[in-house]
């Protein structure tokens, strides 16, 4: 029996995110539409994360925090998670990664690489596909497998 693979790459945070689903046989029109919808939702979620966590966008949570708005740390659970991950990365790398390297908070590495976000995105946005139990699903970033669900 042949295997059909559906693949789509979306760009966000200057990183390619490739979503793939493999099914035995031909992909049904319903599955193809669900896949397209899921990819659109993933792109929307990644752009939201970029808007919140980019050190290069002046209205992002990161930029506002770097300019002294410390209320963000108390008000936003995702920001708390990224902030904690950035401080942990500094500790675990003995300072090789420093989110304050330029004098202002910039968690670019942990914000882009935070596996929890990628798994969260995959679970929330792709659940309709793997709930169907008709394939295997994967999310890749820069060639690294971030999430997989097998039917």
């Amino acid at each position: 029996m042949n295997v059909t693979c559906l693949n789509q790459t979306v760009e966000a945070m200057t990183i390619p995110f490739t979503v793939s689903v493999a099914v035995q046989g031909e992909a049904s029109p319903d599955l193809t539409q669900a896949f397209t919808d899921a990819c659109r939702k993933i792109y929307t979620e990644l752009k939201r994360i970029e808007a919140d966590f980019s050190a290069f966008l002046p209205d992002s949570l990161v930029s506002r925090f770097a300019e002294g708005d410390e209320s963000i740390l108390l008000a936003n659970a995702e920001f708390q998670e990224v902030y904690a991950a950035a401080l942990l990365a500094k500790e675990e790398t003995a300072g090789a990664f420093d989110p304050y390297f330029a004098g202002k908070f910039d968690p670019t590495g942990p914000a882009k690489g935070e596996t929890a976000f990628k798994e969260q995105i995959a679970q929330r946005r792709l659940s309709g596909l793997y709930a169907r139990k008709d394939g295997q699903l994967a999310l890749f970033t820069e060639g690294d497998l971030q999430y997989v669900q097998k039917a």
Side-chain angles (χ1 to χ4, degrees), residues 49-103:
I49 291 169
E50 182 175 32
D52 284 349
F53 293 97
S54 172
F56 307 105
L57 299 175
D59 292 333
S60 75
L61 297 175
V62 167
S63 294
R64 290 174 32 218
F65 181 77
E67 293 300 319
D69 183 355
E70 293 182 358
S71 68
I72 293 165
L73 190 54
L74 298 174
N76 188 293
E78 277 185 326
F79 188 85
Q80 290 170 6
E81 187 177 339
V82 169
Y83 185 77
L87 295 181
L88 182 61
K90 179 179 181 178
E91 182 180 316
E92 289 181 344
T93 64
F97 172 82
D98 183 354
Y100 287 94
F101 73 95

Side-chain angles (χ1 to χ4, degrees), residues 1 10 22 28 33 47 58 65 69 113 130 133 139-140 149:
M1 177 171 261
V10 296
S28 70
Q33 185 61 52
K47 294 308 275 184
F65 181 77
D69 183 355
Y130 66 74
K133 306 250 185 269
L139 173 65
F140 296 87
Q149 174 71 40

Side-chain angles (χ1 to χ4, degrees), residues 7 31 45 56 74 110 114 116-117 125 128 130 133 137 142:
N7 298 294
L31 177 63
E45 185 75 359
F56 307 105
L74 298 174
E114 185 61 40
F117 282 140
R125 303 304 178 202
Y130 66 74
K133 306 250 185 269
L137 173 70
E142 295 186 315

Side-chain angles (χ1 to χ4, degrees), residues 19-38:
V19 182
S20 300
V21 65
V23 294
Q24 290 188 352
E26 295 298 316
S28 70
D30 284 350
L31 177 63
T32 302
Q33 185 61 52
F35 179 77
T36 300
D37 293 345

